Amino acid sequence: MPRSFLVKKHFSASKKPNYSELESQSVLVSPLLYEPCPLSVMPPGEVLGGTAYSPPLVWDAGLLSSLFPAGGEAAGSPAPGLDLAALSSEEDEGKSSGPPSPASAPAAAERFRCAQCAKAYSTFAGLSKHKQLHCDAQARKCFSCKYCEKEYVSLGALKMHIRSHTLPCVCKMCGKAFSRPWLLQGHIRTHTGEKPFSCTHCNRAFADRSNLRAHLQTHSDVKKYQCKTCSRTFSRMSLLHKHEETGCSGTR
DNA sequence: CTGGGGAAGGGGCCC
DNA sequence: TGGGCCCCTTCCCCA
């Protein structure tokens, strides 16, 4: 999966913005540089494409809380993170075949009862489906993303992940969108040229701490990543992978 | 072809 | 629970 699939590209001609043009403008690091991260602005259809991304709903905090009530109802609330269409059909089935209202319930509808939430179904199939889609999933704390196949053990983690689909943080200078504010901050450094991380060996400065860490490896005689076959060492794992993919001869 | 820099993404941890 | 930060990783580009 290309890592750029999450990034909403408002400029398509080149990968990088025209820095010379940017430099001609007065560049200020200010809150005006980026949108104040409104929750869950849906990417336009032309960006992600209808097949890959065509949710009919906007996943914002309100929707999430409505779908996954914090406290939850004692027995009837939908399980978090499951396929919502399936969920709703499951609920429909529950209504049609299963849990009767206390006043009018025929005794037959009570034959199959969920041990976890006490919900009753008239058929074993209905109970099985309920357990599969609802209570068992809830017991596993399975929160799955509506937009992809990923699953998380907490709603918070799912919400964080959903941001990678909705990309709420938008750079005001170039329109690029990011999932998290600190990613946007790092991106803004590419506009401002700010490089707060400097190498103690050569004084070279970097905008990103991880890139400084990778750079520090170049000062080391013994690189961190070693080929198991030929014992050759590399400063980066990607270089080691490339070395292995191109076929290690086994000799240095 | 290799190595290095730049940019960006995701998960986890802490407050 | 959410935000900020850290760390790791990946990909692209260029010398």
Side-chain angles (χ1 to χ4, degrees):
Chain A
M1 173 201 319
R3 82 187 148 80
S4 58
F5 93 104
L6 295 174
V7 177
K8 181 164 55 178
K9 286 176 177 148
H10 296 267
F11 49 92
S12 57
S14 61
K15 183 188 175 191
K16 295 177 183 177
N18 185 338
Y19 291 116
S20 60
E21 200 173 78
L22 291 166
E23 282 162 5
S24 69
Q25 305 167 355
S26 61
V27 176
L28 294 173
V29 181
S30 77
L32 297 177
L33 285 175
Y34 58 93
E35 302 284 355
C37 298
L39 249 180
S40 307
V41 177
M42 293 301 288
E46 69 270 20
V47 173
L48 290 172
T51 54
Y53 188 99
S54 57
L57 300 171
V58 174
W59 284 70
D60 59 14
L63 179 59
L64 278 169
S65 59
S66 67
L67 291 172
F68 312 141
E73 298 164 17
S77 62
L82 295 165
D83 180 276
L84 295 174
L87 253 188
S88 61
S89 67
E90 182 268 329
E91 287 299 314
D92 289 343
E93 181 169 327
K95 280 172 193 163
S96 58
S97 67
S101 63
S104 60
E110 300 282 337
R111 285 173 58 201
F112 301 95
R113 185 176 293 275
C114 175
Q116 293 185 52
C117 69
K119 210 169 181 178
Y121 291 83
S122 58
T123 64
F124 181 73
L127 172 60
S128 295
K129 192 170 183 183
H130 159 79
K131 287 184 71 176
Q132 184 182 357
L133 292 176
H134 180 181
C135 282
D136 287 353
Q138 204 165 41
R140 288 198 308 270
K141 294 185 177 177
C142 174
F143 295 82
S144 62
C145 177
K146 182 181 178 69
Y147 304 139
C148 66
E149 303 298 319
K150 293 205 169 181
E151 296 181 342
Y152 296 86
V153 295
S154 73
L155 179 57
L158 173 62
K159 282 181 177 178
M160 179 64 70
H161 165 75
I162 283 176
R163 291 178 72 106
S164 70
H165 290 293
T166 58
L167 303 177
C169 305
V170 180
C171 176
K172 278 220 165 179
M173 297 182 70
C174 68
K176 224 169 179 180
F178 299 86
S179 58
R180 303 187 223 180
W182 60 265
L183 271 175
L184 174 58
Q185 271 186 339
H187 166 76
I188 287 175
R189 289 198 190 114
T190 69
H191 292 310
T192 63
E194 183 193 4
K195 294 180 176 179
F197 307 100
S198 55
C199 175
T200 54
H201 294 83
C202 65
N203 281 335
R204 184 168 182 149
F206 297 85
D208 184 274
R209 192 192 303 270
S210 292
N211 289 339
L212 168 61
R213 193 172 289 115
H215 164 79
L216 285 172
Q217 279 285 302
T218 68
H219 290 300
S220 173
D221 290 335
V222 180
K223 314 297 188 202
K224 189 176 176 181
Y225 304 99
Q226 185 172 40
C227 175
K228 288 173 182 172
T229 308
C230 69
S231 298
R232 189 175 171 184
T233 58
F234 299 86
S235 60
R236 298 171 178 219
M237 187 188 293
S238 56
L239 293 174
L240 171 59
H241 285 164
K242 209 186 282 183
H243 165 78
E244 290 171 338
E245 282 170 8
T246 54
C248 173
S249 63
T251 57
R252 296 194 59 160

